[in-house]
Amino acid sequence: MIGTILSIFYVIARIMANNERTFIMVKPDGVQRGLVGKIIKRFEAKGFKLVALKFQWASEDLLKNHYADLSARPFFPGLVKYMSSGPVVPMVWEGLNVVKTGRVLLGETNPANSAPGTIRGDLCVQVGRNIIHGSDAVESAKKEIALWFTEKELVNWKPAQESWVYED
């Protein structure tokens, strides 16, 4: 009996872990350079599930709220101006350890420090044009997702490939 209960808890814990979500946003430079598809392809190829996506021109108010933790930094006004200079593509991705693994896929904030094979290591040169934003923790991901998407915009679905990505 205890073994069965533990097995059920193990399965539930694995399912919940696979449901971790992160916020990823292609910045105006990534959109202008036509890299949205390449970025989506990397997350899909890794095995993560896309649950929300928009193409929008973000308002300064939304961006100030999104980057509020950086508001005291001297580069903040330039960051908001830059991020509101063109359309962005905010997305929500789901999967096992997607926040941590997503950050690895992105590479370091400074592309010069990013390993080859990462998005920034392969596609960027300067910090101010590093094409993509990704949540740095599960809690910040929840906050960012709620800021950019309503609950109704998050699509719960099961891709056919899921059993080929995750063990039972």
Side-chain angles (χ1 to χ4, degrees), residues 96-113:
L96 179 64
N97 297 317
V98 70
V99 173
K100 180 180 178 183
T101 307
R103 295 289 293 186
V104 172
L105 287 172
L106 267 58
E108 299 294 322
T109 301
N110 183 346
N113 298 333

Side-chain angles (χ1 to χ4, degrees), residues 2 5-6 24-25 33 46 53 62 64 67-68 73 109 112 120 130 134 146 150 153:
I2 298 289
I5 293 171
L6 290 175
I24 300 293
M25 179 171 48
R33 293 178 55 201
K46 184 70 176 177
L53 178 140
L62 176 58
K64 285 177 182 175
Y67 289 111
R73 305 292 294 268
T109 301
R120 291 176 178 149
N130 66 5
T150 66
E153 293 173 312

Side-chain angles (χ1 to χ4, degrees), residues 4 26 42 44 47 51 55 101 105 107 109 113 143 145 156 159 165:
T4 303
V26 181
R42 292 207 186 193
E44 285 183 326
V51 297
F55 181 74
T101 307
L105 287 172
T109 301
N113 298 333
K143 178 184 169 226
I145 291 166
N156 291 311
V165 174

